[in-house]
Amino acid sequence: MQRTREKPEKMPENNKARKKLRVCVATCNRADYSKLAPIMFGIKAQPDEFELEVVVLGSHLIDDYGNTFRMIEQDDFDIGSKLHTIVRGEDEAAMVESVGLALVKLPDVLHRLRPDVLVVHGDRFDALALATAAALMNIRILHLEGGEVSGTIDDSIRHAISKLAHYHACCTRSAEQHLIAMCEDHARILLAGCPSYDKLLAAHYRDDYMDIIKNWLGDHVKEHDYIVALQHPVTTDIKNSIKIYELMLDALISFNKRTLILFPNIDAGSKEMVRVMRKKGVEQHPNFRAVKHVPFEQFIQLVCHAGAMIGNSSCGVREAGAFGTPVINLGSRQTGRETGENVLHVRDADTQNKIYHVAPQRSGEGISKIYGDGNAVPRILKFLQTIDLDEPLQKTFCFPPVKEWDISQDIDHILETQSALAVDLGGTNLRVAIVSMTGKIVKKYTQANPKTFEERIALILKMCKEALSDAVCLNCRILGVGVSTGGRVNPQEGVVLHSTKLIQEWSSIDIRTPLSDALHLPVWVDNDGNCAALAEKKFGHGKGVENFVTIITGTGIGGGIIQHNELVHGSTFCAAELGHIMVSLDGPECMCGSRGCIEAYASGMALQREAKRLHDEDVLKVDGITDMKNNEPVSAVHLINAARLGNSKADAVLQTAGMALGVGIVNILHMVNPSLVILSGVLASHYQSPVQQVIEQRALPSARSIRVLTSDLEEPALMGAASMVLDYTTRRLY
């Protein structure tokens, strides 16, 4: 056992006799009595130092659970008060009502007894009621077995009792460190060990152990050839715990071994577990002995000499370790406990197979003294003697020093400093930006997009690392990385499935993994059209709109659909490929290989193609436009300028493009019926009017009133990439 931390005993002032310490020990069930009884015997053995009061409540007083208060009387303790505090029902509501009933009854008892110290054990809901009542009535509390971790609602109750308690007697070094981490005063924490170990280690070897085994399991049972089973419900996952209990019983029945099975405790779900037991006929099965209670001294012998212990009782992961008894711990109830090598954890429902594979070897290798060395009670009694009743009752907490921050922590500052790295992979340029929660682009970086995959990933990482370095100086806390890219994307895996022809070597590419591994940040990836829709949802015209469509009009045509506040991806992630809606059966050839797509009429590349055709036919020139330079490429800009200045051929091309886009949007309105259409990209302003006209002329009457707006966002792809990060990491949408 590790060295304990004890306060030096104070000498009585003026040589006056020390007042007896009135200690009230409150016990709620058979399990906590096994830990409290050794302390009660120790207190009773020192009548000059202590005055013992015993309060019994909880399942001790219920016939279905063995009326275990009788064993307290058999141990020759005077029970000062018996409180019936259990509301039957064995469900969550009954547990809450039981706590309330205990809180109603306890004040009268505590007021009558007026203890100096109340000793409370563990993590039961009854114990929480005891600690709450005592704390509110200004009674000092000594909490046993605080600081431990089991992995269920018991943790919350245990830690709540620790915060109410004034003194702590814990079992392990880890538990002591947990209490210190919870800001409890180290001087009031005793590393004592588990009191039950004092009794079980002393009674480990008894000459009459076979008589005890035969008394409970029959004359023909042999040592190490039987099983002890004890499974309790998990109140935070009742349905699954009952399922595991049923599978455990099936496994035990097929195991064909003599088995001592104890009824579960009174937690929510126990009634259903008893029904399962009776449905399977366990109480009448020749291999089983089902009991509600076994006296602790006899239970020790049964566990010590068993071939295995199965279930989720804390006894299996604690006391059984002192004997090296093989233990199969089922489910999540004890997964956080410190355990010895004798314990095999089975967290899933495949229990039958695991039981057959438990190592039945009986050797000293599995013996563990994690929870004590047999000397806990003397330490605890000495600790009680050091309590100074003249000290202030109000407990203090030992909080760690808090760094003084010079930066204001108001909400505006928090929103501004939470930021994302946004990456936009365009056909020409690669752009990275630091984007704040409010949508402000704090800093932007632009480089030409390399042609090969390796060069592209290397450049992305270089630019992101540069941005991360700058973010520190700019006081921006980067929450993650969002990537916007062309093509079909699986956002769940962060993989580009098929890219556009504008970005070479960019199909079946996992973007998330290399970026996340190198930058140590979460990474989100989506199509640029979807990102534009997300940007509008968070920062633009789509904010607060439940159903809308965003259409990007740039080099290509893309977009995103927001339906019921969610982004629509589709079963194969090709939803909202709006540029490839066919508006003609025999139109111009599209880059997708088909004909008559919107993109083949209205994209920047389509307009550039038509501008070159008119230029080659020498019909693009109009008055007011100077000759183009010899080396200047013909672009969509020249076509738009020519149409603006009266070129009928150029104007006809734009009219056709606007008509094609408008017809495509009418099809969208008839399919998903959004309340808003947002045009984004460099050509948006040129298309707004013709699209609105086509809707008014060709849409169904119910869809003609749908608004068409142009985006106010300058960088929709970057801001959409950022919104994936900001919305998810701050628990919003996406």
Side-chain angles (χ1 to χ4, degrees):
M1 189 68 194
Q2 300 99 326
R3 181 173 58 86
T4 60
R5 180 182 179 89
E6 298 174 354
K7 293 176 63 177
E9 186 174 354
K10 295 186 178 181
M11 296 299 295
E13 296 181 4
N14 301 325
N15 295 321
K16 291 182 181 180
R18 178 185 174 90
K19 173 191 172 184
K20 288 184 182 180
L21 191 70
R22 184 186 289 263
V23 180
C24 177
V25 178
T27 174
C28 310
N29 54 62
R30 67 191 181 197
D32 77 8
Y33 181 66
S34 68
K35 316 295 177 67
L36 294 168
I39 300 173
M40 294 163 64
F41 280 114
I43 292 173
K44 188 176 179 180
Q46 298 187 34
D48 294 337
E49 294 288 339
F50 303 104
E51 185 176 344
L52 177 64
E53 296 287 351
V54 180
V55 174
V56 173
L57 65 159
S59 60
H60 273 308
L61 303 172
I62 296 179
D63 180 65
D64 287 351
Y65 294 88
N67 281 325
T68 50
F69 73 91
R70 294 195 182 102
M71 67 181 178
I72 303 173
E73 295 176 335
Q74 291 169 1
D75 286 339
D76 202 24
F77 289 113
D78 294 327
I79 299 177
S81 294
K82 296 177 183 176
L83 297 179
H84 292 269
T85 58
I86 296 299
V87 176
R88 300 307 300 271
E90 286 77 27
D91 58 14
E92 296 95 331
M95 292 169 63
V96 176
E97 291 168 358
S98 297
V99 172
L101 184 58
L103 288 172
V104 170
K105 293 186 174 184
L106 280 168
D108 288 340
V109 173
L110 295 177
H111 182 73
R112 174 171 55 83
L113 297 178
R114 296 186 181 277
D116 297 317
V117 178
L118 175 70
V119 179
V120 177
H121 168 268
D123 49 32
R124 306 293 302 148
F125 59 86
D126 324 70
L128 178 61
L130 283 162
T132 302
L136 293 174
M137 295 182 70
N138 293 321
I139 297 170
R140 289 172 169 82
I141 302 167
L142 171 63
H143 184 208
L144 302 179
E145 298 188 5
E148 296 183 14
V149 177
S150 57
T152 65
I153 189 63
D154 295 349
D155 285 342
S156 299
I157 296 175
R158 185 185 310 110
H159 300 332
I161 296 172
S162 292
K163 300 315 293 181
L164 293 168
H166 302 79
Y167 306 95
H168 310 273
C170 58
C171 299
T172 69
R173 178 69 68 185
S174 293
E176 179 188 36
Q177 293 303 313
H178 292 160
L179 288 169
I180 294 171
M182 291 164 62
C183 304
E184 295 299 310
D185 187 350
H186 198 181
R188 295 191 174 197
I189 302 172
L190 171 70
L191 177 55
C194 182
S196 64
Y197 265 53
D198 292 25
K199 198 168 187 177
L200 65 90
L201 290 177
H204 186 172
Y205 298 103
R206 281 179 52 167
D207 295 335
D208 63 344
Y209 72 87
M210 280 305 302
D211 294 334
I212 295 172
I213 295 172
K214 290 179 179 180
N215 179 55
W216 289 97
L217 290 165
D219 293 334
H220 301 294
V221 70
K222 297 179 181 179
E223 184 180 4
H224 308 325
D225 197 34
Y226 63 90
I227 295 170
V228 176
L230 178 53
Q231 180 88 355
H232 301 303
V234 177
T235 57
T236 52
D237 193 6
I238 294 174
K239 184 177 179 180
N240 188 56
S241 65
I242 293 171
K243 177 184 176 182
I244 292 179
Y245 185 66
E246 185 172 6
L247 290 170
M248 180 191 78
L249 294 178
D250 290 338
L252 290 173
I253 291 170
S254 63
F255 201 58
N256 199 28
K257 290 285 185 182
R258 196 78 173 111
T259 301
L260 178 71
I261 184 166
L262 279 79
F263 278 65
N265 64 21
I266 202 168
D267 281 351
S270 59
K271 184 182 294 185
E272 288 83 354
M273 293 176 75
V274 172
R275 287 197 190 105
V276 170
M277 184 197 304
R278 287 174 174 161
K279 181 180 178 181
K280 293 184 178 294
V282 168
E283 291 173 289
Q284 290 77 40
H285 197 286
N287 282 339
F288 284 80
R289 174 78 187 278
V291 298
K292 296 175 181 177
H293 168 66
V294 179
F296 184 67
E297 296 84 352
Q298 298 181 42
F299 187 65
I300 289 172
Q301 299 303 316
L302 290 164
V303 172
C304 174
H305 300 282
M309 185 173 182
I310 299 171
N312 64 2
S313 169
S314 61
C315 176
V317 298
R318 297 169 64 99
E319 282 83 357
F323 313 128
T325 302
V327 174
I328 305 176
N329 178 56
L330 303 179
S332 61
R333 189 170 184 263
Q334 306 291 346
T335 52
R337 296 272 192 191
E338 298 174 75
T339 62
E341 296 179 0
N342 64 307
V343 179
L344 172 67
H345 294 283
V346 182
R347 293 180 175 87
D348 57 30
D350 181 21
T351 59
Q352 181 173 343
N353 186 53
K354 301 288 175 64
I355 291 172
Y356 277 111
H357 287 82
V358 66
Q361 301 299 321
R362 296 286 305 178
S363 68
E365 294 179 0
I367 293 176
S368 168
K369 292 187 178 180
I370 294 173
Y371 289 94
D373 59 0
N375 296 300
V377 172
R379 295 187 183 106
I380 292 171
L381 296 181
K382 188 174 181 181
F383 188 60
L384 283 169
Q385 291 171 355
T386 66
I387 293 177
D388 184 357
L389 299 180
D390 294 326
E391 285 184 348
L393 184 64
Q394 175 61 50
K395 68 179 290 187
T396 57
F397 300 100
C398 298
F399 294 107
V402 178
K403 181 178 179 180
E404 295 293 335
W405 294 95
D406 295 329
I407 301 173
S408 169
Q409 290 296 302
D410 59 75
I411 188 66
D412 290 334
H413 172 73
I414 294 171
L415 291 176
E416 288 172 2
T417 56
Q418 288 184 324
S419 305
L421 274 191
V423 179
D424 176 31
L425 288 106
T428 305
N429 291 323
L430 173 60
R431 300 182 301 157
V432 173
I434 302 171
V435 182
S436 74
M437 183 68 75
T438 57
K440 177 184 177 182
I441 295 181
V442 180
K443 191 169 183 179
K444 185 167 64 174
Y445 311 79
T446 303
Q447 295 279 351
N449 198 346
K451 298 300 181 183
T452 66
F453 164 76
E454 292 80 6
E455 292 175 329
R456 192 173 297 126
I457 289 292
L459 182 58
I460 293 172
L461 289 174
K462 178 183 177 182
M463 294 173 71
C464 285
K465 289 177 181 178
E466 181 183 355
L468 286 172
S469 178
D470 291 344
V472 176
C473 303
L474 295 168
N475 197 34
C476 293
R477 181 159 61 92
I478 302 299
L479 302 176
V481 181
V483 180
S484 167
T485 181
R488 188 164 64 96
V489 177
N490 179 344
Q492 299 170 2
E493 302 294 335
V495 173
V496 179
L497 301 173
H498 298 289
S499 182
T500 65
K501 293 182 179 180
L502 299 175
I503 309 177
Q504 301 173 16
E505 295 188 20
W506 207 241
S507 295
S508 300
I509 294 297
D510 179 0
I511 303 179
R512 175 180 294 160
T513 301
L515 297 189
S516 182
D517 289 348
L519 302 176
H520 306 292
L521 286 169
V523 176
W524 288 265
V525 185
D526 211 333
N527 168 268
D528 52 6
N530 289 336
C531 286
L534 291 174
E536 295 294 340
K537 179 68 178 171
K538 186 171 182 64
F539 302 114
H541 293 307
K543 195 169 186 178
V545 180
E546 186 176 2
N547 302 291
F548 70 90
V549 173
T550 297
I551 298 173
I552 301 177
T553 58
T555 305
I557 299 290
I561 300 172
I562 299 292
Q563 193 78 0
H564 303 301
N565 289 315
E566 297 289 342
L567 187 62
V568 177
H569 283 101
S571 60
T572 57
F573 311 106
C574 65
E577 285 288 352
L578 307 181
H580 299 290
I581 294 175
M582 294 180 64
V583 293
S584 171
L585 295 177
D586 190 25
E589 185 178 358
C590 181
M591 290 188 68
C592 70
S594 184
R595 287 184 173 274
C597 299
I598 295 176
E599 188 170 290
Y601 284 102
S603 67
M605 292 184 66
L607 297 184
Q608 183 182 34
R609 181 194 66 227
E610 291 301 303
K612 287 182 177 179
R613 180 179 64 79
L614 295 179
H615 178 265
D616 292 342
E617 294 175 1
D618 202 26
V619 293
L620 187 61
K621 296 179 181 180
V622 294
D623 293 337
I625 296 184
T626 58
D627 291 339
M628 290 180 291
K629 297 178 181 178
N630 292 332
N631 296 328
E632 182 181 2
V634 180
S635 69
V637 174
H638 298 108
L639 182 76
I640 293 170
N641 288 337
R644 180 170 52 83
L645 293 173
N647 186 313
S648 60
K649 299 280 189 182
D651 185 65
V653 170
L654 291 180
Q655 288 294 330
T656 301
M659 174 67 75
L661 181 60
V663 170
I665 291 175
V666 167
N667 291 333
I668 296 170
L669 300 185
H670 293 168
M671 284 189 290
V672 297
N673 192 31
S675 59
L676 176 66
V677 174
I678 303 172
L679 298 180
S680 179
V682 294
L683 299 173
S685 60
H686 301 288
Y687 285 138
Q688 182 184 16
S689 179
V691 165
Q692 191 77 66
Q693 290 176 9
V694 174
I695 291 174
E696 293 171 358
Q697 295 168 2
R698 298 191 175 230
L700 292 172
S702 58
R704 290 174 188 169
S705 61
I706 292 173
R707 295 176 299 156
V708 178
L709 301 178
T710 57
S711 175
D712 293 334
L713 303 179
E714 294 183 3
E715 299 285 358
L718 285 173
M719 297 180 75
S723 73
M724 291 191 290
V725 178
L726 300 174
D727 282 344
Y728 190 89
T729 55
T730 55
R731 297 299 186 267
R732 289 177 172 84
L733 296 175
Y734 198 72

